[in-house]
Amino acid sequence: MSQLMDSPPLPEHRPDQTMVESRVSSGEGYGDFSYTPTPMSAVVSAILATLSLTVFVVPLPGAFLGILATLLGAFSLYRIVRARGELGGKKFALFAIIVAPLCAAGGLWITSQRYQNELPEGHRRVNFSRDIAQKKIGTIEDKNGRRLAIHPDVGALIGQEIFVKGFMYPTKRTHHLTEFLLCKDNAQCCFGGEPPLTDMIGVKLGKDLTANYDVALTAVAGKLYLNPKYRGEANEPLYMLDATKVETAQTGF
């Protein structure tokens, strides 16, 4: 009897304690953390592919984004496959190489169609910078005195129906314009400088045709001729164009 009394008391049984212990012991790998890194290039390719969907608004920039997304997506998928499960992000890369090429092809097709269709029938496409602005104007002296001499290449365009793109020179009037200056680029337009003689064309709109000032690239079609009343005053154009069509350019080249 004394032996039983001297024995240490048994620990109190708590069911919840047993449950916790069994749960911890039975959870194999409890506390482990698994992480598969994703290449940043895969994420960026998916973002660029999403942005390339803008081809329906701005075809050419969207096409460039699509090309970049395709290349980056293909590179990312190559890295992920070679890693044999050590890299994630395969869905990002696949999205890029499926969506982006379609957007790139669509953007280039839309741009080519706009480029072909913007040229009016019977007109010659002229690059303002290359075909006019870079052709210097000289002077010659004859029995009638000193006068300007235009470049032979520009002389060949005089009297021709041409299609040219440039930027409207800003004036106080912005609506229902019947004439305006078309400049090679918008450097003079934005800062109010005086364009060089070779960098501007005076545009006169035909009957019942008006235009509103636009900061965007503008396309003009009509007959090119020399200003018969040219006196060399500020912002007075030597080249003139009787316009039959004025619109925001559909392409940037």
Side-chain angles (χ1 to χ4, degrees):
M1 184 74 178
S2 60
Q3 291 179 350
L4 294 174
M5 293 181 61
D6 294 337
S7 299
L10 294 173
E12 184 181 355
H13 177 68
R14 291 183 298 171
D16 55 339
Q17 181 179 2
T18 305
M19 187 181 298
V20 171
E21 290 175 352
S22 62
R23 186 182 300 119
V24 173
S25 60
S26 63
E28 185 177 355
Y30 180 81
D32 292 346
F33 179 72
S34 178
Y35 170 70
T36 303
T38 298
M40 182 59 67
S41 59
V43 178
V44 174
S45 69
I47 294 174
L48 291 176
T50 303
L51 293 176
S52 69
L53 293 171
T54 57
V55 292
F56 300 105
V57 182
V58 280
L60 197 56
F64 285 143
L65 288 174
I67 294 172
L68 184 58
T70 301
L71 296 175
L72 196 58
F75 169 73
S76 301
L77 185 61
Y78 173 74
R79 287 186 59 196
I80 293 168
V81 171
R82 285 199 62 185
R84 300 180 181 277
E86 295 183 3
L87 291 177
K90 188 176 182 179
K91 290 183 178 180
F92 290 131
L94 286 173
F95 173 78
I97 63 178
I98 293 174
V99 174
L102 297 176
C103 291
L108 293 175
W109 182 82
I110 293 173
T111 300
S112 66
Q113 291 299 305
R114 289 183 177 181
Y115 183 78
Q116 293 175 16
N117 295 331
E118 69 179 356
L119 181 65
E121 186 177 354
H123 288 66
R124 175 177 175 179
R125 188 184 296 274
V126 172
N127 182 284
F128 202 150
S129 178
R130 182 182 63 248
D131 299 329
I132 296 179
Q134 293 181 9
K135 308 299 183 180
K136 301 302 181 182
I137 297 176
T139 58
I140 59 174
E141 293 186 6
D142 55 20
K143 61 181 181 180
N144 296 320
R146 190 175 183 182
R147 57 189 178 90
L148 296 176
I150 64 172
H151 195 280
D153 292 345
V154 180
L157 298 175
I158 300 300
Q160 301 293 316
E161 299 284 348
I162 69 168
F163 179 73
V164 63
K165 298 176 184 178
F167 293 88
M168 288 184 172
Y169 188 86
T171 60
K172 293 181 179 180
R173 188 175 177 181
T174 58
H175 290 79
H176 306 295
L177 302 174
T178 57
E179 60 182 19
F180 61 87
L181 279 181
L182 188 72
C183 297
K184 177 193 69 173
D185 52 46
N186 57 2
Q188 294 88 8
C189 298
C190 294
F191 299 102
E194 182 178 342
L197 194 57
T198 55
D199 289 8
M200 59 180 174
I201 298 174
V203 177
K204 288 185 176 293
L205 280 65
K207 185 179 180 181
D208 300 327
L209 182 63
T210 61
N212 296 329
Y213 174 73
D214 193 348
V215 296
L217 185 66
T218 301
V220 182
K223 181 177 290 187
L224 185 69
Y225 65 99
L226 294 177
N227 184 359
K229 300 180 180 180
Y230 180 75
R231 295 292 181 270
E233 298 179 0
N235 290 338
E236 182 183 11
L238 175 62
Y239 303 131
M240 301 291 297
L241 191 144
D242 281 335
T244 56
K245 181 180 179 180
V246 177
E247 64 178 10
T248 301
Q250 298 183 36
T251 61
F253 47 88

